[in-house]
Amino acid sequence: MEVNDIKLSKTKKGFQMKWMERISKQIGVLCLYPQKNFEILYINELLLLELKYDSQEAFQRRTDCSVLGIVHPDELKAFRDFLYLETEYPENPKFQCRLRCSDYSFVWYEMSRIHCLDQEKNPMLLCTLVNISQYMETRQTALEMEKEMQEAVDK
């Protein structure tokens, strides 16, 4: 490898790190081990903040290190099924679910995931989560208004 190649490699790595840092401030990121009951290997600061946890340690204590501990019970089976799907790009399925906050309220997320390997070549899932709570609230309000309007017309 020549000196110019090394400089280019460092430049690319620096760019990638800045890109990852910027992205992780806009979307939630989770890394999970599917073979270990979806044990959480990593959770980014944004997701901790949105779920109202002070630290990763507090989150791990409350969830027993598994993401299954914070999924809304009504969506738990579908959530597991989604994580086990083998489908990847270009389909890249998405899943909407509620995750429990530290105060026991729930936040809506749209989640996507890819299967990958960790540094020791163990299978893991890299998940991205976008907070869609405001969208879901607006959607629910619109559905309720539509229902009320239909009931008024039917009278």
Side-chain angles (χ1 to χ4, degrees), residues 20-31 40 42-59 109 129:
M20 281 298 291
E21 187 177 312
R22 191 172 337 136
I23 280 292
S24 72
K25 291 180 182 175
Q26 298 172 15
I27 60 173
V29 177
L30 276 177
C31 294
I40 298 167
Y42 172 79
I43 179 172
N44 73 336
E45 290 295 320
L46 176 65
L47 201 49
L48 283 172
L49 182 66
E50 288 180 348
L51 294 174
K52 304 174 186 171
Y53 285 93
D54 297 332
S55 67
Q56 187 163 349
E57 293 76 25
F59 177 80
Y109 286 96
L129 298 95

Side-chain angles (χ1 to χ4, degrees), residues 63-78:
T63 63
D64 240 2
C65 295
S66 173
V67 72
L68 300 178
I70 60 168
V71 177
H72 193 283
D74 294 347
E75 291 136 19
L76 190 55
K77 183 187 179 322

Side-chain angles (χ1 to χ4, degrees), residues 82-94:
F82 168 75
L83 292 178
Y84 280 125
L85 281 175
E86 291 296 325
T87 308
E88 297 289 345
Y89 295 105
E91 293 87 14
N92 193 25
K94 294 182 177 14

Side-chain angles (χ1 to χ4, degrees), residues 38 76-87 92-97 110-115 125 127-128:
F38 301 105
L76 190 55
K77 183 187 179 322
F79 182 81
R80 280 182 196 249
D81 292 346
F82 168 75
L83 292 178
Y84 280 125
L85 281 175
E86 291 296 325
T87 308
N92 193 25
K94 294 182 177 14
F95 182 74
Q96 294 178 348
C97 66
E110 183 171 85
M111 179 182 206
S112 61
R113 89 287 172 274
I114 58 171
H115 294 265
L125 295 169
C127 307
T128 57

